[in-house]
Amino acid sequence: MVRRGEKEGLVARERATNRRPGRLHRSWPGYVLVLPAMLALVGVIGYPLVRAFVMSLHKIILIRPQLGQPFVGFENYLTVLKSPYFSNAIWQTFVWTSVNLVGQLALGLLIALLLNSAFPGRGIARSVMLIPWVIPSVVAVLTWKWMYDGQFGVINSFLVRLGVIEKGVAWLGNTGTAMGAVLIESIWKGTPFVLIMLLAGLQAIPAELTDSASVDGANVWQRFRYVTLPFLKPTIVIAATLTTIYSYNNFNAIWLMTEGGPLRATETLTILTYKLAFRNFDMGSATAAGVLTFFVLLVFVVVFGRQYVKSQMEF
Amino acid sequence: MKKPTRLLFVAAAFLTLAVANAQTRVNVWIYESFAGNDSPISKAAADFMAQNPDVEINLIPTASTSSAYRDPFMVAAQGGGGPDVLMADIAWSPEFAAMGIVKDLSGHLAGKEDEFFPGPLDTLRYEGGIYGVPFYTNALGMFYNKTAFVEAGLPLPDADWTWADFRTAVDTLSNGEMYGFGLEGAWGGTFEWYPWFWQAGGQLLSDDGTTPTFNSEAGLEATRFFLDIVTNPRYVPEAAKTWKGWAELAAAFSNKVIAMYEVGDWGIAMVDGMNPPFEWGVAPLPSNGQRASLVGGANWVMNANTKVEDAAWRWLEYVTGPAVFPLMDGYNRVAARRGAAEAQEIVKADPRMQVLTASLEFAKARPTVPLWTTIDYDCLQPAFVRVILEGADVTSEMANAEMCALDVLR
Amino acid sequence: MAAAGLRRRARRLPAMLAAFFICFVFAIPFLWMILTSLKLPSELFTSPVQVFPRSGVYWEAYTRIWTAGQFGRYFWNSTLVASIATSASVALSVFAAIGFARYKLKGGNYLLLGVLLSQLFPLVLLVPPFYTVLRELRILDTHLALVIAYTSFALPFSIWMLTGYFRSIPAELEESAMIDGATRLGAQLRVILPLAGPGIAATVIYSFILAWNEFLFATTFISSPELRTLPIGLQSFIGQYSTDWNLLMAGAVVTTVPVIVLFVFLQRYLVAGLTAGAVKG
């Protein structure tokens, strides 16, 4: 990679023009470096995204092809916004995403700190922690669904044996417990990702800093609060942003366990969108719902992103 | 090399080339569970190709869950691609037809309609056309634990048993250790409910398919009777609330958790495979003056994008013709072609299959309007689940479901 | 000395026990999958629940997956697609991250935010338009389609991760390398890459797992059985009426283990001390 990079013309030109050392360099070579990735993103995701947006402005009922696909402006948006299912989905999405976020971050941080200290078998422990993330999600979800089963599920069998419950409960089948049950699976599956990010982030903390802090007599909490946390902040912000996005987009976990039920108790926006597209065959409304949630998430990302930029400045 | 040999060789090479060139390739999606190296369908394809050397049948086994099969086909066909022909669940047929992504085959089928059972054929009718060919079919029956019936001193269910007999049986068999009945409760139980609804004389939609008519006297009677049993925690296990696969029910049945459940012929091999430690049997669903059951199964449909309609049709004609009987014997299924009961070995050999095949006579299909699935999922199922989970009132929930269905159909 | 070492080790004991306990809890579903794959089909659904195989261990699923379908082929396909997509996305994101971290780009931070926008739309809705694009490019039903898709979908995370990481590496280090006669980009790559080990390792793991487990695109864009990837292969054990749990679980175990093994090798790049000291040194 290094050799190929040297061959690039931009490098040669840069050698001729920019010999002055400086912290941040002229910008144009930066654009050239960023460009290939941007092109890939715009081409592969940007274009379909624009097409999806255009679809949201048309009435597209797949099972009524005879109607054509007339332009209807923002009618689909109004339909979606007026639907009681949409407000329910917003609420479920909020619960789903925020519990996922808090759960995964807290667990990920705790485990990252544990696995960052040196002890025998640390490598094995780290590898084991990766397992939930690596298991193909369809199989992971089906396994959990089975473990939750009211009759054949190992979780119920364990809880009954412990005397916590008298007989098996259909955790996924009751409105009060379904969301919690799906959330546990999702936090279990998502935490390793946060963990890996934070583990990598912890490496960027200069060892002398923590060492000198402990020489100064700081206790564990103080060292965490005043040394580790500030250094980790950018990573935490990235992890939070990505966890928010991935939780929101998580389709398999909910769909395969509850299909959004019972009684829409686990119907997030992603599930609602899928149902609109593939069960009601209303692509216009489905894409409109997608665009609306795009903007909801955008607010989140901008808020988090500001934090990120700020934490970068503090650095 | 001698000259004549060489000539022969060249001629043979040309001939092979010519044949290869003239061969029309037909891409065929089949359910993964039908595939395998020596599967009956690959044998059928080989036989067909032997008779039709100009056609190459390319079987593409595809996982048959709706997200791996129906959705990709929809996306592909809408996008101008996809296989030439495919097996498809009867519930998907109206959707495909309405989207215009499968071909109307009524021209090909002219004069041949009588060769198929009317129930399965009806699932393919859409606005005057016939959008596929029936392949195999099944009807729901009642699997029951014979040993438990005998031990409880109950008469064994026969062709004449009634709703009252069923209710007594459920009540007697629910003894604290065993539950009398089980069902796929994750769907609210609507799948199992249809036959009861029809037995009570109900009609789901008006004949023109535009108005829901299930909130009727008959509908209420059936729904009350059915949900009365389902909501009784002594009769139906709590775990049934999340069951949505046949494996759980077969396991619950084989483990003596439930004494009865509604299922079709695919359940026989599943229960047999679990070696239940008791004797069991298959009965028709109990009647209420009228008899009814629910039609299931699969059709063949042809992609509207296909460029090889002629070759594809010849394959469909072959695979749903008389060759379908031995083919379906290989899968323990019943062909949707008339005469199946007399022609198929598996039916002749197994009295349980005979009961289920006899139920085909009065089995009905769900309405073939493309939005019926939506009505089922978004209107009926929530109504049932509210009754089951929240003890809601059947009368008001059926009224709600009717309003909801009206909204969907509008 | 020895006593101090012992004391230090004793202090670590609770952390170690806690770590192993958490690992165990997280591994339970995987253990359940392994146990399931080893039970006789008749022992799978039992009431009361049976945790361990009763009548001997049933290894057959592990041999059957290789003969029943084309699992070996899927394995190779997944390896190929995931490796290429991972290499491509890491390469692209290393360059992009150097650009973001080392150059003053006008609106660079907004661009960085923009990268994330691509992830804010439900994937299921991108599939139909994406299908049309791939069809127009005539690369439907090829591994190239998957490589392109996976590379792009791994980019946002990779760029963010690496940008943050590169920014934490002092720029002075490159300056000294440049004084030694290296070009700017050469110096950046030579200095940053070894120090960014943990960041790159995390990126590699992420991209690889994404490509290894992706289902939605693979099932829509690949139709030829010989081109299918592992998640599609696994799906084939889930039948219309019943699921072959033995094969599904054995298949999932076989799919999971190689990635974990890969990680065992990769994770030494995540080990403390390898980089942190060097940065300041």
Side-chain angles (χ1 to χ4, degrees):
Chain A
M1 209 163 10
V2 174
R3 209 171 293 156
R4 214 168 34 143
E6 275 175 330
K7 276 184 195 153
E8 281 172 21
L10 76 104
V11 180
R13 250 172 292 152
E14 180 176 82
R15 196 188 302 169
T17 55
N18 186 4
R19 283 210 173 255
R20 252 176 319 123
R23 208 180 148 73
L24 286 167
H25 311 298
R26 304 169 56 132
S27 55
W28 66 264
Y31 288 119
V32 176
L33 286 169
V34 168
L35 192 68
M38 293 303 130
L39 282 181
L41 278 175
V42 169
V44 174
I45 312 177
Y47 177 65
L49 227 137
V50 170
R51 288 247 301 233
F53 177 70
V54 171
M55 282 169 87
S56 74
L57 301 175
H58 292 78
K59 192 169 190 71
I60 307 175
I61 313 275
L62 294 180
I63 50 166
R64 304 225 167 98
Q66 64 275 12
L67 296 181
Q69 303 189 344
F71 179 84
V72 291
F74 288 94
E75 193 191 300
N76 290 323
Y77 289 84
L78 284 178
T79 316
V80 170
L81 282 171
K82 271 192 283 181
S83 154
Y85 302 150
F86 186 72
S87 45
N88 171 63
I90 291 268
W91 171 243
Q92 301 301 342
T93 309
F94 176 74
V95 173
W96 168 253
T97 311
S98 50
V99 177
N100 258 313
L101 176 67
V102 173
Q104 291 182 31
L105 275 185
L107 266 177
L109 187 59
L110 181 80
I111 301 171
L113 291 172
L114 270 178
L115 294 186
N116 197 43
S117 56
F119 60 83
R122 177 175 62 167
I124 304 284
R126 283 177 175 177
S127 308
V128 168
M129 277 307 300
L130 201 67
I131 288 176
W133 184 17
V134 181
I135 299 173
S137 77
V138 172
V139 186
V141 174
L142 291 177
T143 305
W144 273 91
K145 183 170 185 296
W146 185 355
M147 295 200 307
Y148 277 134
D149 190 280
Q151 192 74 41
F152 305 109
V154 70
I155 293 175
N156 276 311
S157 142
F158 184 69
L159 292 178
V160 168
R161 215 166 291 172
L162 280 184
V164 179
I165 47 177
E166 207 172 300
K167 57 184 217 162
V169 175
W171 301 103
L172 294 167
N174 291 297
T175 39
T177 51
M179 181 56 108
V182 187
L183 271 167
I184 290 175
E185 192 277 346
S186 159
I187 291 173
W188 165 82
K189 187 111 177 69
T191 300
F193 167 72
V194 177
L195 170 69
I196 293 298
M197 288 194 70
L198 294 179
L199 269 179
L202 282 170
Q203 307 314 311
I205 302 175
E208 307 89 77
L209 265 182
T210 19
D211 288 351
S212 61
S214 53
V215 169
D216 292 346
N219 64 26
V220 177
W221 167 248
Q222 285 165 331
R223 266 186 325 221
F224 171 73
R225 177 69 189 78
Y226 297 107
V227 180
T228 311
L229 203 56
F231 262 92
L232 215 48
K233 200 176 163 194
T235 317
I236 292 178
V237 173
I238 303 179
T241 313
L242 293 171
T243 307
T244 307
I245 294 173
Y246 296 145
S247 311
Y248 155 77
N249 253 325
N250 187 339
F251 172 76
N252 273 345
I254 302 179
W255 186 254
L256 293 175
M257 284 210 236
T258 64
E259 294 200 4
L263 298 177
R264 300 183 189 260
T266 55
E267 187 172 286
T268 60
L269 283 162
T270 308
I271 299 290
L272 178 68
T273 310
Y274 174 83
K275 281 185 172 173
L276 283 172
F278 285 91
R279 230 175 231 169
N280 294 22
F281 311 109
D282 184 349
M283 289 309 268
S285 297
T287 43
V291 172
L292 283 172
T293 49
F294 177 91
F295 285 107
V296 174
L297 268 179
L298 192 64
V299 174
F300 264 95
V301 170
V302 167
V303 170
F304 277 129
R306 279 246 181 85
Q307 280 294 312
Y308 175 71
V309 172
K310 241 193 265 165
S311 65
Q312 288 289 325
M313 309 262 248
E314 281 163 13
F315 220 83
Chain B
M1 218 183 258
K2 274 184 201 161
K3 225 181 186 173
T5 339
R6 199 146 118 210
L7 244 163
L8 212 76
F9 184 76
V10 170
F14 256 97
L15 212 73
T16 339
L17 214 73
V19 168
N21 273 343
Q23 250 191 355
T24 314
R25 177 181 252 235
V26 181
N27 288 317
V28 181
W29 272 15
I30 55 171
Y31 292 167
E32 185 78 46
S33 53
F34 274 65
N37 295 332
D38 307 310
S39 63
I41 193 144
S42 46
K43 212 191 136 288
D47 290 348
F48 172 77
M49 285 189 278
Q51 293 170 26
N52 299 269
D54 58 326
V55 178
E56 185 204 345
I57 296 296
N58 179 31
L59 295 177
I60 305 172
T62 306
S64 54
T65 51
S66 134
S67 60
Y69 199 97
R70 187 197 74 149
D71 299 358
F73 172 68
M74 271 172 50
V75 171
Q78 300 266 2
D84 297 302
V85 289
L86 61 153
M87 284 171 67
D89 194 280
I90 56 163
W92 301 335
S93 297
E95 299 167 354
F96 291 167
M99 282 180 214
I101 56 176
V102 294
K103 271 196 192 302
D104 177 6
L105 300 177
S106 51
H108 290 292
L109 279 165
K112 292 185 164 181
E113 293 172 27
D114 288 347
E115 293 174 12
F116 302 97
F117 289 128
L121 195 67
D122 282 345
T123 66
L124 291 159
R125 290 185 199 278
Y126 182 74
E127 298 193 341
I130 301 177
Y131 288 82
V133 191
F135 187 32
Y136 66 81
T137 184
N138 48 50
L140 289 181
M142 187 74 75
F143 283 21
Y144 66 96
N145 183 328
K146 213 181 256 184
T147 308
F149 267 77
V150 172
E151 279 169 4
L154 287 163
L156 292 184
D158 56 18
D160 298 319
W161 75 320
T162 62
W163 282 17
D165 296 334
F166 172 73
R167 208 199 158 90
T168 314
V170 169
D171 187 63
T172 315
L173 293 168
S174 303
N175 56 10
E177 279 175 30
M178 191 192 248
Y179 298 90
F181 186 59
L183 77 168
E184 292 188 302
W187 314 116
T190 54
F191 187 81
E192 281 93 343
W193 160 85
Y194 285 116
W196 306 84
F197 174 79
W198 287 317
Q199 284 157 9
Q203 185 176 357
L204 292 164
L205 285 184
S206 60
D207 288 331
D208 60 359
T210 57
T211 323
T213 51
F214 52 76
N215 186 22
S216 56
E217 273 302 304
L220 284 172
E221 183 199 355
T223 313
R224 272 198 208 102
F225 177 83
F226 182 76
L227 286 180
D228 211 34
I229 286 171
V230 173
T231 50
N232 190 326
R234 204 166 69 82
Y235 294 165
V236 172
E238 151 94 4
K241 284 178 189 166
T242 61
W243 287 345
K244 61 174 183 180
W246 298 103
E248 291 108 316
L249 284 165
F253 183 67
S254 306
N255 279 291
K256 296 196 269 192
V257 175
I258 55 174
M260 287 184 276
Y261 75 112
E262 289 175 53
V263 64
D265 54 13
W266 64 88
I268 292 181
M270 290 175 78
V271 174
D272 278 345
M274 293 185 177
N275 298 316
F278 52 83
E279 270 193 71
W280 62 283
V282 179
L285 297 177
S287 79
N288 181 42
Q290 302 188 49
R291 335 211 51 173
S293 181
L294 176 67
V295 166
N299 299 317
W300 285 101
V301 294
M302 192 187 292
N303 191 336
N305 299 318
T306 185
K307 294 187 178 68
V308 293
E309 177 168 354
D310 173 60
W313 170 252
R314 272 151 69 200
W315 160 249
L316 293 192
E317 204 174 22
Y318 175 82
V319 78
T320 59
V324 76
F325 297 133
L327 173 61
M328 283 296 119
D329 273 343
Y331 292 112
N332 270 307
R333 300 282 162 79
V334 177
R337 191 179 172 79
R338 276 189 206 274
E342 299 76 36
Q344 282 197 242
E345 299 302 326
I346 49 155
V347 181
K348 285 189 266 182
D350 190 342
R352 299 171 301 186
M353 283 299 276
Q354 286 156 18
V355 171
L356 291 168
T357 316
S359 296
L360 282 171
E361 299 293 333
F362 45 80
K364 291 190 194 189
R366 281 156 284 182
T368 51
V369 295
L371 282 169
W372 183 258
T373 314
T374 309
I375 294 177
D376 189 331
Y377 280 86
D378 286 356
C379 305
L380 286 170
Q381 287 180 22
F384 280 39
V385 173
R386 268 192 293 272
V387 175
I388 295 169
L389 290 186
E390 297 171 352
D393 171 51
V394 171
T395 316
S396 63
E397 285 305 325
M398 284 299 271
N400 286 342
E402 185 184 19
M403 296 300 291
C404 167
L406 262 172
D407 214 39
V408 170
L409 289 169
R410 193 175 297 136
Chain C
M1 268 313 262
L6 209 67
R7 215 178 312 137
R8 202 182 314 148
R9 223 173 285 166
R11 233 186 310 140
R12 280 184 199 142
L13 197 65
M16 187 177 144
L17 287 179
F20 280 124
F21 175 73
I22 293 177
C23 284
F24 173 72
V25 172
F26 268 74
I28 286 175
F30 189 62
L31 296 175
W32 182 252
M33 287 164 60
I34 296 179
L35 285 171
T36 304
S37 70
L38 297 175
K39 281 181 216 167
L40 280 174
S42 59
E43 297 176 339
L44 291 178
F45 287 96
T46 51
S47 187
V49 178
Q50 186 187 326
V51 177
F52 296 100
R54 194 184 298 153
S55 36
V57 175
Y58 176 81
W59 291 107
E60 214 181 289
Y62 286 90
T63 52
R64 255 202 314 148
I65 46 168
W66 303 104
T67 51
Q70 303 187 40
F71 217 67
R73 163 80 68 159
Y74 303 152
F75 219 92
W76 166 245
N77 291 341
S78 274
T79 311
L80 190 75
V81 170
S83 312
I84 299 177
T86 304
S87 317
S89 72
V90 169
L92 285 177
S93 53
V94 162
F95 286 116
I98 292 179
F100 281 122
R102 284 291 183 267
Y103 295 89
K104 205 173 229 149
L105 303 182
K106 214 175 259 175
N109 283 325
Y110 289 100
L111 203 55
L112 205 49
L113 275 182
V115 165
L116 281 183
L117 297 188
S118 57
Q119 312 259 310
L120 304 188
F121 203 72
L123 217 52
V124 277
L125 290 184
L126 289 183
V127 170
F130 203 20
Y131 182 93
T132 326
V133 174
L134 293 174
R135 210 178 108 80
E136 281 157 10
L137 292 173
R138 295 182 185 282
I139 53 169
L140 265 183
D141 203 19
T142 63
H143 284 155
L144 181 63
L146 294 184
V147 166
I148 292 176
Y150 298 162
T151 303
S152 316
F153 276 89
L155 275 178
F157 165 78
S158 306
I159 293 174
W160 270 59
M161 183 76 205
L162 290 180
T163 303
Y165 219 86
F166 291 176
R167 278 182 180 165
S168 71
I169 299 171
E172 293 82 23
L173 290 177
E174 299 156 37
E175 311 294 347
S176 51
M178 272 184 63
I179 292 162
D180 295 345
T183 62
R184 165 86 52 201
L185 186 63
Q188 283 164 341
L189 290 173
R190 201 174 306 163
V191 172
I192 291 178
L193 286 188
L195 292 180
I200 292 178
T203 312
V204 168
I205 296 166
Y206 172 79
S207 313
F208 195 85
I209 293 178
L210 182 142
W212 189 256
N213 283 347
E214 201 284 330
F215 171 73
L216 187 61
F217 287 175
T219 191
T220 316
F221 303 146
I222 298 292
S223 50
S224 303
E226 64 275 10
L227 293 180
R228 287 176 185 163
T229 52
L230 280 170
I232 313 298
L234 285 175
Q235 190 82 21
S236 68
F237 300 133
I238 304 170
Q240 183 195 13
Y241 295 118
S242 66
T243 297
D244 194 328
W245 286 102
N246 289 98
L247 288 189
L248 184 67
M249 295 302 181
V253 171
V254 169
T255 306
T256 306
V257 169
V259 185
I260 300 296
V261 172
L262 181 78
F263 180 73
V264 172
F265 289 106
L266 265 179
Q267 68 99 21
R268 73 194 173 92
Y269 292 102
L270 287 169
V271 169
L274 193 78
T275 58
V279 172
K280 285 289 163 180

